[in-house]
Amino acid sequence: MEVTGELTNFEEAYAYAKQVKQQLKEEEEKELALYQELKNKPSKTLDELYQLADLAFSVDNPLEGVKVLRQIISTYKILLTRALALFKLGKVQLAIDEVEQGVKLFEIATQRLSTALGSI
């Protein structure tokens, strides 16, 4: 009786794990398809650029995400927009143990944010 109970629980756990694995695979495929669609789109909105950067970090190469964030920083002159991109870039630097560079980016972003909020 005990062996059957354990076997049933194992079978249920295995079936559940298989189902979750399939769902994760489907989500990854959706993310990859969206990433490719955004990447190939000739002109992108700011929101699409941020989405592209996030997707690049999760489904492609983090360097691609960094490129997109740098594109935002160089293209958009709105201080709040640039500050957000700088914060995200700073988080990336911290994640790869580039602490000094990350802190510098946070400081620049904070200055831009202060300037933007001061002008409101």
mmCIF file with all atom_site columns, all heavy atoms in Angstrom, residues 7-23:
data_model
loop_
_atom_site.group_PDB
_atom_site.id
_atom_site.type_symbol
_atom_site.label_atom_id
_atom_site.label_alt_id
_atom_site.label_comp_id
_atom_site.label_asym_id
_atom_site.label_entity_id
_atom_site.label_seq_id
_atom_site.pdbx_PDB_ins_code
_atom_site.Cartn_x
_atom_site.Cartn_y
_atom_site.Cartn_z
_atom_site.occupancy
_atom_site.B_iso_or_equiv
_atom_site.pdbx_formal_charge
_atom_site.auth_seq_id
_atom_site.auth_comp_id
_atom_site.auth_asym_id
_atom_site.auth_atom_id
_atom_site.pdbx_PDB_model_num
ATOM 1   N N   . LEU A 1 7  ? 4.437  5.641  -5.427  1.00 0.00 ? 7  LEU A N   1
ATOM 2   C CA  . LEU A 1 7  ? 4.495  5.569  -6.880  1.00 0.00 ? 7  LEU A CA  1
ATOM 3   C C   . LEU A 1 7  ? 3.488  6.544  -7.494  1.00 0.00 ? 7  LEU A C   1
ATOM 4   O O   . LEU A 1 7  ? 3.812  7.277  -8.410  1.00 0.00 ? 7  LEU A O   1
ATOM 5   C CB  . LEU A 1 7  ? 4.213  4.137  -7.360  1.00 0.00 ? 7  LEU A CB  1
ATOM 6   C CG  . LEU A 1 7  ? 4.299  3.915  -8.862  1.00 0.00 ? 7  LEU A CG  1
ATOM 7   C CD1 . LEU A 1 7  ? 5.690  4.282  -9.374  1.00 0.00 ? 7  LEU A CD1 1
ATOM 8   C CD2 . LEU A 1 7  ? 3.986  2.471  -9.211  1.00 0.00 ? 7  LEU A CD2 1
ATOM 9   N N   . THR A 1 8  ? 2.304  6.601  -6.945  1.00 0.00 ? 8  THR A N   1
ATOM 10  C CA  . THR A 1 8  ? 1.286  7.530  -7.440  1.00 0.00 ? 8  THR A CA  1
ATOM 11  C C   . THR A 1 8  ? 1.764  8.966  -7.270  1.00 0.00 ? 8  THR A C   1
ATOM 12  O O   . THR A 1 8  ? 1.641  9.783  -8.183  1.00 0.00 ? 8  THR A O   1
ATOM 13  C CB  . THR A 1 8  ? -0.046 7.311  -6.694  1.00 0.00 ? 8  THR A CB  1
ATOM 14  O OG1 . THR A 1 8  ? -0.445 5.965  -6.861  1.00 0.00 ? 8  THR A OG1 1
ATOM 15  C CG2 . THR A 1 8  ? -1.117 8.245  -7.221  1.00 0.00 ? 8  THR A CG2 1
ATOM 16  N N   . ASN A 1 9  ? 2.327  9.284  -6.127  1.00 0.00 ? 9  ASN A N   1
ATOM 17  C CA  . ASN A 1 9  ? 2.825  10.640 -5.899  1.00 0.00 ? 9  ASN A CA  1
ATOM 18  C C   . ASN A 1 9  ? 3.957  10.967 -6.866  1.00 0.00 ? 9  ASN A C   1
ATOM 19  O O   . ASN A 1 9  ? 4.037  12.081 -7.364  1.00 0.00 ? 9  ASN A O   1
ATOM 20  C CB  . ASN A 1 9  ? 3.301  10.812 -4.450  1.00 0.00 ? 9  ASN A CB  1
ATOM 21  C CG  . ASN A 1 9  ? 2.136  10.818 -3.478  1.00 0.00 ? 9  ASN A CG  1
ATOM 22  O OD1 . ASN A 1 9  ? 1.007  11.098 -3.857  1.00 0.00 ? 9  ASN A OD1 1
ATOM 23  N ND2 . ASN A 1 9  ? 2.427  10.502 -2.234  1.00 0.00 ? 9  ASN A ND2 1
ATOM 24  N N   . PHE A 1 10 ? 4.811  9.992  -7.112  1.00 0.00 ? 10 PHE A N   1
ATOM 25  C CA  . PHE A 1 10 ? 5.904  10.204 -8.062  1.00 0.00 ? 10 PHE A CA  1
ATOM 26  C C   . PHE A 1 10 ? 5.355  10.452 -9.452  1.00 0.00 ? 10 PHE A C   1
ATOM 27  O O   . PHE A 1 10 ? 5.792  11.362 -10.157 1.00 0.00 ? 10 PHE A O   1
ATOM 28  C CB  . PHE A 1 10 ? 6.866  9.009  -8.065  1.00 0.00 ? 10 PHE A CB  1
ATOM 29  C CG  . PHE A 1 10 ? 7.903  9.109  -9.144  1.00 0.00 ? 10 PHE A CG  1
ATOM 30  C CD1 . PHE A 1 10 ? 8.997  9.954  -8.985  1.00 0.00 ? 10 PHE A CD1 1
ATOM 31  C CD2 . PHE A 1 10 ? 7.777  8.392  -10.329 1.00 0.00 ? 10 PHE A CD2 1
ATOM 32  C CE1 . PHE A 1 10 ? 9.941  10.068 -9.989  1.00 0.00 ? 10 PHE A CE1 1
ATOM 33  C CE2 . PHE A 1 10 ? 8.723  8.498  -11.328 1.00 0.00 ? 10 PHE A CE2 1
ATOM 34  C CZ  . PHE A 1 10 ? 9.818  9.339  -11.159 1.00 0.00 ? 10 PHE A CZ  1
ATOM 35  N N   . GLU A 1 11 ? 4.384  9.654  -9.860  1.00 0.00 ? 11 GLU A N   1
ATOM 36  C CA  . GLU A 1 11 ? 3.798  9.816  -11.182 1.00 0.00 ? 11 GLU A CA  1
ATOM 37  C C   . GLU A 1 11 ? 3.122  11.181 -11.321 1.00 0.00 ? 11 GLU A C   1
ATOM 38  O O   . GLU A 1 11 ? 3.247  11.846 -12.347 1.00 0.00 ? 11 GLU A O   1
ATOM 39  C CB  . GLU A 1 11 ? 2.803  8.688  -11.476 1.00 0.00 ? 11 GLU A CB  1
ATOM 40  C CG  . GLU A 1 11 ? 3.471  7.355  -11.718 1.00 0.00 ? 11 GLU A CG  1
ATOM 41  C CD  . GLU A 1 11 ? 2.489  6.198  -11.812 1.00 0.00 ? 11 GLU A CD  1
ATOM 42  O OE1 . GLU A 1 11 ? 1.306  6.361  -11.410 1.00 0.00 ? 11 GLU A OE1 1
ATOM 43  O OE2 . GLU A 1 11 ? 2.896  5.129  -12.275 1.00 0.00 ? 11 GLU A OE2 1
ATOM 44  N N   . GLU A 1 12 ? 2.425  11.600 -10.257 1.00 0.00 ? 12 GLU A N   1
ATOM 45  C CA  . GLU A 1 12 ? 1.776  12.911 -10.281 1.00 0.00 ? 12 GLU A CA  1
ATOM 46  C C   . GLU A 1 12 ? 2.821  14.022 -10.352 1.00 0.00 ? 12 GLU A C   1
ATOM 47  O O   . GLU A 1 12 ? 2.664  14.978 -11.118 1.00 0.00 ? 12 GLU A O   1
ATOM 48  C CB  . GLU A 1 12 ? 0.905  13.094 -9.040  1.00 0.00 ? 12 GLU A CB  1
ATOM 49  C CG  . GLU A 1 12 ? -0.351 12.246 -9.045  1.00 0.00 ? 12 GLU A CG  1
ATOM 50  C CD  . GLU A 1 12 ? -1.104 12.306 -7.722  1.00 0.00 ? 12 GLU A CD  1
ATOM 51  O OE1 . GLU A 1 12 ? -0.727 13.127 -6.842  1.00 0.00 ? 12 GLU A OE1 1
ATOM 52  O OE2 . GLU A 1 12 ? -2.066 11.545 -7.567  1.00 0.00 ? 12 GLU A OE2 1
ATOM 53  N N   . ALA A 1 13 ? 3.861  13.892 -9.567  1.00 0.00 ? 13 ALA A N   1
ATOM 54  C CA  . ALA A 1 13 ? 4.925  14.903 -9.568  1.00 0.00 ? 13 ALA A CA  1
ATOM 55  C C   . ALA A 1 13 ? 5.614  14.953 -10.924 1.00 0.00 ? 13 ALA A C   1
ATOM 56  O O   . ALA A 1 13 ? 5.903  16.038 -11.435 1.00 0.00 ? 13 ALA A O   1
ATOM 57  C CB  . ALA A 1 13 ? 5.943  14.600 -8.462  1.00 0.00 ? 13 ALA A CB  1
ATOM 58  N N   . TYR A 1 14 ? 5.854  13.810 -11.509 1.00 0.00 ? 14 TYR A N   1
ATOM 59  C CA  . TYR A 1 14 ? 6.498  13.751 -12.826 1.00 0.00 ? 14 TYR A CA  1
ATOM 60  C C   . TYR A 1 14 ? 5.607  14.389 -13.885 1.00 0.00 ? 14 TYR A C   1
ATOM 61  O O   . TYR A 1 14 ? 6.064  15.174 -14.715 1.00 0.00 ? 14 TYR A O   1
ATOM 62  C CB  . TYR A 1 14 ? 6.820  12.299 -13.193 1.00 0.00 ? 14 TYR A CB  1
ATOM 63  C CG  . TYR A 1 14 ? 7.466  12.176 -14.553 1.00 0.00 ? 14 TYR A CG  1
ATOM 64  C CD1 . TYR A 1 14 ? 8.803  12.525 -14.733 1.00 0.00 ? 14 TYR A CD1 1
ATOM 65  C CD2 . TYR A 1 14 ? 6.734  11.739 -15.658 1.00 0.00 ? 14 TYR A CD2 1
ATOM 66  C CE1 . TYR A 1 14 ? 9.397  12.432 -15.993 1.00 0.00 ? 14 TYR A CE1 1
ATOM 67  C CE2 . TYR A 1 14 ? 7.316  11.643 -16.908 1.00 0.00 ? 14 TYR A CE2 1
ATOM 68  C CZ  . TYR A 1 14 ? 8.647  11.989 -17.070 1.00 0.00 ? 14 TYR A CZ  1
ATOM 69  O OH  . TYR A 1 14 ? 9.231  11.908 -18.313 1.00 0.00 ? 14 TYR A OH  1
ATOM 70  N N   . ALA A 1 15 ? 4.316  14.068 -13.850 1.00 0.00 ? 15 ALA A N   1
ATOM 71  C CA  . ALA A 1 15 ? 3.371  14.639 -14.817 1.00 0.00 ? 15 ALA A CA  1
ATOM 72  C C   . ALA A 1 15 ? 3.294  16.153 -14.662 1.00 0.00 ? 15 ALA A C   1
ATOM 73  O O   . ALA A 1 15 ? 3.280  16.892 -15.647 1.00 0.00 ? 15 ALA A O   1
ATOM 74  C CB  . ALA A 1 15 ? 1.991  14.012 -14.642 1.00 0.00 ? 15 ALA A CB  1
ATOM 75  N N   . TYR A 1 16 ? 3.279  16.626 -13.420 1.00 0.00 ? 16 TYR A N   1
ATOM 76  C CA  . TYR A 1 16 ? 3.229  18.065 -13.164 1.00 0.00 ? 16 TYR A CA  1
ATOM 77  C C   . TYR A 1 16 ? 4.513  18.745 -13.654 1.00 0.00 ? 16 TYR A C   1
ATOM 78  O O   . TYR A 1 16 ? 4.458  19.789 -14.307 1.00 0.00 ? 16 TYR A O   1
ATOM 79  C CB  . TYR A 1 16 ? 3.022  18.327 -11.671 1.00 0.00 ? 16 TYR A CB  1
ATOM 80  C CG  . TYR A 1 16 ? 3.009  19.790 -11.323 1.00 0.00 ? 16 TYR A CG  1
ATOM 81  C CD1 . TYR A 1 16 ? 1.923  20.591 -11.661 1.00 0.00 ? 16 TYR A CD1 1
ATOM 82  C CD2 . TYR A 1 16 ? 4.088  20.374 -10.675 1.00 0.00 ? 16 TYR A CD2 1
ATOM 83  C CE1 . TYR A 1 16 ? 1.908  21.947 -11.355 1.00 0.00 ? 16 TYR A CE1 1
ATOM 84  C CE2 . TYR A 1 16 ? 4.089  21.737 -10.370 1.00 0.00 ? 16 TYR A CE2 1
ATOM 85  C CZ  . TYR A 1 16 ? 2.991  22.509 -10.710 1.00 0.00 ? 16 TYR A CZ  1
ATOM 86  O OH  . TYR A 1 16 ? 2.981  23.847 -10.411 1.00 0.00 ? 16 TYR A OH  1
ATOM 87  N N   . ALA A 1 17 ? 5.648  18.137 -13.361 1.00 0.00 ? 17 ALA A N   1
ATOM 88  C CA  . ALA A 1 17 ? 6.929  18.699 -13.809 1.00 0.00 ? 17 ALA A CA  1
ATOM 89  C C   . ALA A 1 17 ? 6.989  18.759 -15.333 1.00 0.00 ? 17 ALA A C   1
ATOM 90  O O   . ALA A 1 17 ? 7.467  19.735 -15.906 1.00 0.00 ? 17 ALA A O   1
ATOM 91  C CB  . ALA A 1 17 ? 8.090  17.877 -13.253 1.00 0.00 ? 17 ALA A CB  1
ATOM 92  N N   . LYS A 1 18 ? 6.491  17.742 -15.975 1.00 0.00 ? 18 LYS A N   1
ATOM 93  C CA  . LYS A 1 18 ? 6.470  17.705 -17.444 1.00 0.00 ? 18 LYS A CA  1
ATOM 94  C C   . LYS A 1 18 ? 5.578  18.812 -17.993 1.00 0.00 ? 18 LYS A C   1
ATOM 95  O O   . LYS A 1 18 ? 5.919  19.489 -18.967 1.00 0.00 ? 18 LYS A O   1
ATOM 96  C CB  . LYS A 1 18 ? 5.982  16.326 -17.897 1.00 0.00 ? 18 LYS A CB  1
ATOM 97  C CG  . LYS A 1 18 ? 6.185  16.031 -19.342 1.00 0.00 ? 18 LYS A CG  1
ATOM 98  C CD  . LYS A 1 18 ? 5.817  14.580 -19.637 1.00 0.00 ? 18 LYS A CD  1
ATOM 99  C CE  . LYS A 1 18 ? 5.937  14.304 -21.117 1.00 0.00 ? 18 LYS A CE  1
ATOM 100 N NZ  . LYS A 1 18 ? 5.577  12.932 -21.456 1.00 0.00 ? 18 LYS A NZ  1
ATOM 101 N N   . GLN A 1 19 ? 4.444  19.032 -17.345 1.00 0.00 ? 19 GLN A N   1
ATOM 102 C CA  . GLN A 1 19 ? 3.515  20.087 -17.764 1.00 0.00 ? 19 GLN A CA  1
ATOM 103 C C   . GLN A 1 19 ? 4.155  21.473 -17.585 1.00 0.00 ? 19 GLN A C   1
ATOM 104 O O   . GLN A 1 19 ? 4.068  22.312 -18.474 1.00 0.00 ? 19 GLN A O   1
ATOM 105 C CB  . GLN A 1 19 ? 2.230  19.996 -16.936 1.00 0.00 ? 19 GLN A CB  1
ATOM 106 C CG  . GLN A 1 19 ? 1.221  21.077 -17.241 1.00 0.00 ? 19 GLN A CG  1
ATOM 107 C CD  . GLN A 1 19 ? 0.021  21.017 -16.298 1.00 0.00 ? 19 GLN A CD  1
ATOM 108 O OE1 . GLN A 1 19 ? -0.041 20.213 -15.377 1.00 0.00 ? 19 GLN A OE1 1
ATOM 109 N NE2 . GLN A 1 19 ? -0.936 21.899 -16.530 1.00 0.00 ? 19 GLN A NE2 1
ATOM 110 N N   . VAL A 1 20 ? 4.798  21.687 -16.455 1.00 0.00 ? 20 VAL A N   1
ATOM 111 C CA  . VAL A 1 20 ? 5.460  22.968 -16.196 1.00 0.00 ? 20 VAL A CA  1
ATOM 112 C C   . VAL A 1 20 ? 6.584  23.196 -17.193 1.00 0.00 ? 20 VAL A C   1
ATOM 113 O O   . VAL A 1 20 ? 6.752  24.300 -17.725 1.00 0.00 ? 20 VAL A O   1
ATOM 114 C CB  . VAL A 1 20 ? 5.979  23.033 -14.743 1.00 0.00 ? 20 VAL A CB  1
ATOM 115 C CG1 . VAL A 1 20 ? 6.898  24.223 -14.537 1.00 0.00 ? 20 VAL A CG1 1
ATOM 116 C CG2 . VAL A 1 20 ? 4.812  23.077 -13.764 1.00 0.00 ? 20 VAL A CG2 1
ATOM 117 N N   . LYS A 1 21 ? 7.339  22.149 -17.485 1.00 0.00 ? 21 LYS A N   1
ATOM 118 C CA  . LYS A 1 21 ? 8.422  22.254 -18.466 1.00 0.00 ? 21 LYS A CA  1
ATOM 119 C C   . LYS A 1 21 ? 7.879  22.663 -19.829 1.00 0.00 ? 21 LYS A C   1
ATOM 120 O O   . LYS A 1 21 ? 8.460  23.518 -20.504 1.00 0.00 ? 21 LYS A O   1
ATOM 121 C CB  . LYS A 1 21 ? 9.175  20.925 -18.558 1.00 0.00 ? 21 LYS A CB  1
ATOM 122 C CG  . LYS A 1 21 ? 10.357 20.946 -19.476 1.00 0.00 ? 21 LYS A CG  1
ATOM 123 C CD  . LYS A 1 21 ? 11.073 19.600 -19.488 1.00 0.00 ? 21 LYS A CD  1
ATOM 124 C CE  . LYS A 1 21 ? 12.219 19.621 -20.474 1.00 0.00 ? 21 LYS A CE  1
ATOM 125 N NZ  . LYS A 1 21 ? 12.902 18.335 -20.536 1.00 0.00 ? 21 LYS A NZ  1
ATOM 126 N N   . GLN A 1 22 ? 6.766  22.104 -20.238 1.00 0.00 ? 22 GLN A N   1
ATOM 127 C CA  . GLN A 1 22 ? 6.145  22.441 -21.516 1.00 0.00 ? 22 GLN A CA  1
ATOM 128 C C   . GLN A 1 22 ? 5.673  23.898 -21.518 1.00 0.00 ? 22 GLN A C   1
ATOM 129 O O   . GLN A 1 22 ? 5.859  24.615 -22.503 1.00 0.00 ? 22 GLN A O   1
ATOM 130 C CB  . GLN A 1 22 ? 4.974  21.497 -21.819 1.00 0.00 ? 22 GLN A CB  1
ATOM 131 C CG  . GLN A 1 22 ? 4.286  21.777 -23.134 1.00 0.00 ? 22 GLN A CG  1
ATOM 132 C CD  . GLN A 1 22 ? 5.201  21.619 -24.339 1.00 0.00 ? 22 GLN A CD  1
ATOM 133 O OE1 . GLN A 1 22 ? 6.096  20.784 -24.360 1.00 0.00 ? 22 GLN A OE1 1
ATOM 134 N NE2 . GLN A 1 22 ? 4.987  22.441 -25.350 1.00 0.00 ? 22 GLN A NE2 1
ATOM 135 N N   . GLN A 1 23 ? 5.085  24.335 -20.408 1.00 0.00 ? 23 GLN A N   1
ATOM 136 C CA  . GLN A 1 23 ? 4.620  25.718 -20.314 1.00 0.00 ? 23 GLN A CA  1
ATOM 137 C C   . GLN A 1 23 ? 5.794  26.691 -20.388 1.00 0.00 ? 23 GLN A C   1
ATOM 138 O O   . GLN A 1 23 ? 5.709  27.722 -21.065 1.00 0.00 ? 23 GLN A O   1
ATOM 139 C CB  . GLN A 1 23 ? 3.836  25.940 -19.019 1.00 0.00 ? 23 GLN A CB  1
ATOM 140 C CG  . GLN A 1 23 ? 2.482  25.274 -19.004 1.00 0.00 ? 23 GLN A CG  1
ATOM 141 C CD  . GLN A 1 23 ? 1.807  25.334 -17.645 1.00 0.00 ? 23 GLN A CD  1
ATOM 142 O OE1 . GLN A 1 23 ? 2.453  25.529 -16.618 1.00 0.00 ? 23 GLN A OE1 1
ATOM 143 N NE2 . GLN A 1 23 ? 0.494  25.160 -17.639 1.00 0.00 ? 23 GLN A NE2 1
#
